[in-house]
Amino acid sequence: MTPTRYQSGEIDQEKGISKCGDPSIRWVLVEAAGIILRLSKKSSPLREWGLEIAKRRGMAKAVVAVAR
């Protein structure tokens, strides 16, 4: 799950997730992140971080952030 880059002159931005790599690996990472955030009851630093993102930006963005 690599970020897409936009580079032009002095601008260098990381954008959304690119679709390079194996699609099945990307799918498994996103599914695992969803399980960590939605179903897991055990507390972990990764889960807490993801839930903070979910409060601010929504669960879909949080799942992708945890998967990355």
Side-chain angles (χ1 to χ4, degrees):
M1 303 200 52
T2 59
T4 302
R5 292 198 86 92
Y6 171 73
Q7 294 176 321
S8 174
E10 295 179 4
I11 298 172
D12 184 11
Q13 296 177 340
E14 284 190 357
K15 296 207 172 199
I17 301 295
S18 70
K19 294 190 177 179
C20 354
D22 188 12
S24 60
I25 297 297
R26 287 196 317 270
W27 180 79
V28 168
L29 287 171
V30 170
E31 287 293 314
I35 289 170
I36 288 172
L37 291 178
R38 292 186 184 110
L39 299 178
S40 176
K41 301 297 181 198
K42 186 177 177 184
S43 180
S44 72
L46 181 62
R47 184 172 192 271
E48 297 301 320
W49 177 74
L51 290 175
E52 288 177 20
I53 292 174
K55 286 179 191 174
R56 292 190 315 261
R57 305 286 308 260
M59 187 56 81
K61 296 231 185 223
V63 168
V64 172
V66 170
R68 286 182 68 184

